[in-house]
Amino acid sequence: MVARAAFPKGSLAIRVRDHLAEVFVDEPFADAFGVRGAPGLSPGALSLVTVLQFAEDLTDRQAAAMAVRAIDWKYALGAELADTGFDASVLSRFRTRLAGDGMERVVFDRLLEHCKDAGLVAAGGKQRTDSTHVISAVRDLNRLELAGESVRAALEALAVAAPLWLAGQIDVTEFAERYGPRIDGWRIPPSQTKRARLAQVFGQDALALCRAAWAKDTPGWIREIEAVRLLRQVLVQTYLIRSDSRGRQVIKKRDSDDGVPPGQLRLASPYDADARWAAKGEDLFWCGYKIHLTETCTTLPDADAGPGRMPNLITDVHTTDATVPDVKATAPIQQSLAKHGVKPAEHYLDSGYPSADLITNAMRDGIRMVTPVLLDHCAQAKAAEGFDKTAFTINWKTRQVRCPAGKTSSHWNPVKQHGTDAIVITFSVLTCRTCPFQNQCTTSKPGRRMLTLRPEELHENLARARAEQKTDTWKNKYALRAGVEGTINQALDITGIRRARYRGLPKVRLQHAFSATALNIIRLDAHWTGHDQHHTRSSRLEHLAYRLTA
């Protein structure tokens, strides 16, 4: 009664309780919470607090305070007016338990199932996907800082877990002076000679700690401490141990000639074992993760459908480390959509997501990928001169290719390239050297033309997609994809999705799942109240573009 009086027009929290009470219940969390001992707080209520927290971009302390002083939050939680709430640390422990038990998406999936039952989302429609970078919750470290900070992190962990053991292995006074303050560029000497010496000292200290931890008389649980395990990994990735001419072991920092681990394996911080460095183009270079958001999308002529128009809702959220390319996320996203019963008939993506194999496999599964595929990369196609692959006639039955001059290929060799099936076509040197079109066809030293093709079905699908994307009809259709940029912008403005709140991939996935859930309840609230807030600037622009082209 008090909540209704205070909010005569209602509020987001009140409408969530009225419409979605069955989503935020305790049963889905039963496996993560015990049944013995003193009763705890309701996990369903804590999940609702977390969703509202992300919807309003609050800290844990602010969210805990809102649960005490905001009457609409009390109404949503079913709490008494005199309820004193809970400590802010409860939210952190709740997230840890969900991430530890693999329940990051429980609330998101339950809301998606509710929307399916309500007829707001369904299989067979149109959906669009895009990705954006996510900066990790740890500071950026160069390789020298990483080496020193990894030793410092291991020392801090050991000082808490095994202080007596640690005191017997190192000179505590010396190490406290060297590793007391955090390692950063302001404290590292500018001289290259001194920096090289400091790198060697960090390596020697790391090696001494690792040898002590992996000694036969050392308790095994010391080696299981995460900071100690990561120190060993950083030591292997950053340093080489060699013997000099006198047989003494010498530790040396790796350089490019010694080889460094690939980006997907290389640690970026001792405090976040999952964060990775990645680059996109020449302007974007970040340490962290990547998120892929998929949402439903209506056709452009339906944009004026009025209050009955279905809201665009997020149907999948997929988080990876920063090094995973978009093309590797396509199949997992489509499999997740099919698993949850919202597989689209048309899937709109940018050029980073498709490949010939993915387009073909998606078509077999009933999904048409509306996406620009990469064009032919042969020299003739790039220069727009001479004969590219489209100028050749392929006879798949006889396994021969006819060139524009009417000559047939001499060799047809099925091969494996980068783990995928391919066919290498070769024309005879004798045929090509006497051809009047040789300069337009090949510049190779042997003087003969070679083609690399995919198997027949993949080749035909790729050729069809390349031809189709040049038409105005396809370009007008593809304009629908642009609206997902507005969704990412909304996620950034409301939930700060481009910056990780927590450390580690499981908790970052949890953050993104709750962020997507928060966006969905905001869009549902706009749908309930008749305010189409999810209609972003990008979708208005695409609607204008559609009208102009029409």
Side-chain angles (χ1 to χ4, degrees):
M1 183 180 64
V2 174
R4 299 291 183 188
F7 295 91
K9 294 184 179 181
S11 70
L12 172 65
I14 291 176
R15 283 186 287 270
V16 167
R17 165 72 183 272
D18 292 341
H19 292 272
L20 303 175
E22 68 275 13
V23 173
F24 301 96
V25 294
D26 295 340
E27 286 76 9
F29 303 98
D31 293 339
F33 291 83
V35 295
R36 301 176 63 184
L41 293 171
S42 162
L46 291 177
S47 66
L48 176 55
V49 169
T50 305
V51 171
L52 294 175
Q53 173 187 4
F54 278 88
E56 300 190 24
D57 195 19
L58 304 177
T59 66
D60 287 353
R61 290 184 181 276
Q62 290 171 331
M66 287 290 285
V68 176
R69 69 187 183 210
I71 188 64
D72 56 338
W73 278 47
K74 283 182 177 286
Y75 174 84
L77 296 171
E80 298 291 338
L81 281 174
D83 190 281
T84 56
F86 51 85
D87 188 79
S89 62
V90 170
L91 294 174
S92 176
R93 294 197 297 270
F94 175 65
R95 291 190 300 267
T96 300
R97 179 161 293 192
L98 292 188
D101 285 83
M103 293 187 171
E104 301 95 331
R105 285 182 48 131
V106 166
V107 178
F108 176 83
D109 290 341
R110 283 188 60 81
L111 180 60
L112 184 62
E113 191 67 28
H114 171 86
C115 293
K116 279 176 53 185
D117 296 339
L120 298 176
V121 294
K126 300 179 180 181
Q127 297 185 35
R128 53 196 177 192
T129 299
D130 200 10
S131 66
T132 189
H133 64 281
V134 179
I135 300 172
S136 66
V138 295
R139 65 188 176 102
D140 298 344
L141 301 172
N142 59 38
R143 292 182 66 207
L144 180 57
E145 291 172 333
L146 173 62
E149 195 64 25
S150 298
V151 178
R152 180 173 177 267
L155 291 172
E156 291 289 327
L158 289 169
V160 174
L164 297 179
W165 178 87
L166 180 62
Q169 304 297 326
I170 65 171
D171 184 336
V172 175
T173 304
E174 179 185 352
F175 274 62
E177 182 179 354
R178 186 180 302 152
Y179 297 105
R182 74 176 190 175
I183 309 298
D184 57 41
W186 296 103
R187 296 173 52 83
I188 294 178
S191 167
Q192 288 296 329
T193 303
K194 292 182 178 180
R195 291 169 72 93
R197 173 56 186 161
L198 184 60
Q200 190 173 20
V201 170
F202 288 159
Q204 290 170 346
D205 292 343
L207 180 60
L209 271 178
C210 287
R211 282 179 171 169
W214 269 265
K216 291 183 179 180
D217 58 344
T218 299
W221 60 267
I222 286 182
R223 295 188 285 273
E224 296 175 3
I225 298 174
E226 184 180 21
V228 176
R229 181 173 50 81
L230 293 179
L231 174 63
R232 186 189 191 193
Q233 194 171 343
V234 170
L235 176 65
V236 173
Q237 293 182 355
T238 310
Y239 293 93
L240 285 174
I241 302 174
R242 293 176 176 172
S243 298
D244 61 10
S245 57
R246 298 182 181 179
R248 297 176 302 181
Q249 284 192 336
V250 178
I251 189 164
K252 172 182 175 294
K253 187 181 177 185
R254 289 179 182 267
D255 54 29
S256 56
D257 295 332
D258 298 318
V260 293
Q264 63 267 28
L265 300 178
R266 194 183 314 157
L267 288 177
S269 171
Y271 305 109
D272 190 340
D274 299 319
R276 295 291 184 269
W277 282 102
K280 186 175 182 180
E282 298 181 356
D283 300 326
L284 182 58
F285 189 59
W286 82 101
C287 174
Y289 304 90
K290 186 185 290 187
I291 180 175
H292 304 260
L293 290 177
T294 303
E295 68 169 355
T296 58
C297 53
T298 54
T299 54
L300 293 174
D302 295 337
D304 296 325
R309 181 176 186 266
M310 293 296 100
N312 291 347
L313 297 175
I314 297 173
T315 54
D316 188 70
V317 52
H318 184 70
T319 306
T320 67
D321 70 71
T323 62
V324 179
D326 291 350
V327 69
K328 295 293 185 181
T330 306
I333 290 172
Q334 292 177 346
Q335 291 166 5
S336 177
L337 294 173
K339 175 183 175 182
H340 292 94
V342 290
K343 180 175 69 175
E346 292 184 350
H347 194 183
Y348 292 75
L349 311 107
D350 65 27
S351 60
Y353 287 92
S355 70
D357 300 85
L358 290 170
I359 292 173
T360 301
N361 292 336
M363 289 180 63
R364 292 172 182 167
D365 293 336
I367 302 175
R368 180 169 180 257
M369 291 174 61
V370 182
T371 173
V373 299
L374 296 178
L375 299 177
D376 188 356
H377 288 305
C378 70
Q380 294 81 3
K382 288 182 178 179
E385 296 180 355
F387 304 123
D388 59 13
K389 291 178 182 178
T390 59
F392 291 78
T393 303
I394 305 170
N395 190 324
W396 296 97
K397 292 183 178 180
T398 62
R399 303 177 73 176
Q400 286 186 324
V401 176
R402 184 178 297 275
C403 74
K407 306 298 182 180
T408 57
S409 58
S410 58
H411 294 87
W412 177 289
N413 300 316
V415 297
K416 283 276 188 180
Q417 292 185 345
H418 307 292
T420 59
D421 294 325
I423 302 169
V424 176
I425 311 298
T426 309
F427 287 81
S428 171
V429 175
L430 299 178
T431 300
C432 291
R433 282 181 178 174
T434 59
C435 179
F437 304 114
Q438 184 187 29
N439 292 335
Q440 297 174 262
C441 191
T442 182
T443 58
S444 66
K445 290 184 179 180
R448 64 181 178 184
R449 181 64 185 267
M450 298 180 68
L451 299 174
T452 301
L453 308 177
R454 301 302 309 276
E456 181 178 3
E457 184 181 11
L458 303 183
H459 177 83
E460 297 295 342
N461 289 338
L462 198 58
R464 189 183 306 112
R466 285 171 175 167
E468 185 182 15
Q469 70 189 36
K470 296 179 181 179
T471 64
D472 290 338
T473 302
W474 185 92
K475 292 177 182 178
N476 293 336
K477 184 183 184 70
Y478 184 66
L480 186 61
R481 191 212 70 87
V484 73
E485 304 282 355
T487 296
I488 289 180
N489 190 60
Q490 184 186 28
L492 175 62
D493 290 343
I494 294 176
T495 69
I497 205 168
R498 212 172 260 167
R499 184 171 291 277
R501 288 189 176 203
Y502 319 116
R503 293 178 289 184
L505 185 57
K507 282 195 174 182
V508 175
R509 282 177 175 158
L510 180 142
Q511 172 191 344
H512 292 163
F514 274 106
S515 295
T517 307
L519 291 181
N520 275 346
I521 67 167
I522 289 172
R523 293 180 172 194
L524 287 171
D525 186 59
H527 175 67
W528 297 328
T529 58
H531 298 90
D532 201 2
Q533 293 177 351
H534 74 276
H535 211 180
T536 61
R537 181 175 298 177
S538 295
S539 57
R540 291 194 181 102
L541 286 176
E542 69 181 6
H543 183 46
L544 176 60
Y546 176 85
R547 288 187 175 276
L548 291 175
T549 54

